[in-house]
Amino acid sequence: MHVELRFTPGTGVHHDLSAVRQDGGCLWVAGDESAAVERLTWRDGAYQDHRSFRLADLVDLPAGPDEEADIEGLARADGWLWAVGSHSLKRRRVKPGQSGEKARRRLATVLREENRFTLVRLPLVERDGLPEPVRRDGDRTAAILSGPGRTLTDLVADDPHLAPFLDMPGKDNGFDVEGIAVLGSRVLVGLRGPVLRGWAVILEIRPEPDPRDPTRMRLGRLGEHRYRTYFLDLDGLGIRDLCPIGDELLVLAGPTMVPDGPFRVLRWRPGDDFGPPPPLVAELPAHRGADRPEGIARLSDGRLLVVYDTPSPARLTPEGVYADIVQV
């Protein structure tokens, strides 16, 4: 079963959806080629009435408004909307038809784009019956975690498991964030990479407002440290998204690098570390070169909505794209 997501013509967001979260009768979605969050509203059997909110209008992005943020995870909790960038380096692609020295130069070029290295928390208010992110709502302020010494990669710079992968591009099994979930005071971040001898990684962090500047966040302490790592046996797959279900998480698992592979939804209890493989909830169909599951959201009736990057022609509609509805 599927449902249509309709977008403003010409925006192109539906070609690279990377995150989704339900919010009452609305969906929050994001694409990994922009620096914005998108709101769709349920009406007449489809999610439509697309509205885009630029992150640069809400927080001060480190590289300005025009560089993509590669948003790979969204979370909605306690009146806040969270968005996290991939925190990954990017290796340039070899374009179709390229060969020789030009192709070699592109493949040797690794880029760091600072807007990718961000975590954002936005206050939500209700306007005309719909949720909307704002810069300030009373004593609540939109805030960003970014800049030298403050990013997630800075946090794990001395980690014995993760530090060796920080200089590797995300699609080469380097450090690559692809999911966020908020459970009470716990903020959990899923890593597509690295996968270590088959073990995927989740980070637990405690972002908090910076008392010197409410528009910025800092990382609070978790006991003696500022983060925890959890290792999950996902049979060699990385984490592509996280979705709360009660006090547990649904984990969307898929290949950590570019090649096609299986995509699965599993159920994990936060805190379980080096345990048996999480129980399987659903196996998602894999399609060569297209329809890669990138985001999951739990609907109010308990079913899952799945959005895809690189949609196949059969998934595209005149106004948008189809997402799948999965019974779990």
Side-chain angles (χ1 to χ4, degrees), residues 213-226:
D213 182 354
T215 68
R216 302 188 65 82
M217 289 189 290
R218 66 181 186 183
L219 289 167
R221 302 197 70 82
L222 284 166
E224 298 181 0
H225 306 284
R226 291 191 297 156

Side-chain angles (χ1 to χ4, degrees), residues 54-82:
R54 298 196 321 155
L55 293 182
D57 294 335
L58 302 164
V59 295
D60 295 329
L61 293 175
D66 298 323
E67 184 179 293
E68 70 176 51
D70 196 21
I71 297 171
E72 294 288 355
L74 294 172
R76 165 71 166 85
D78 302 321
W80 299 91
L81 180 67
W82 298 73

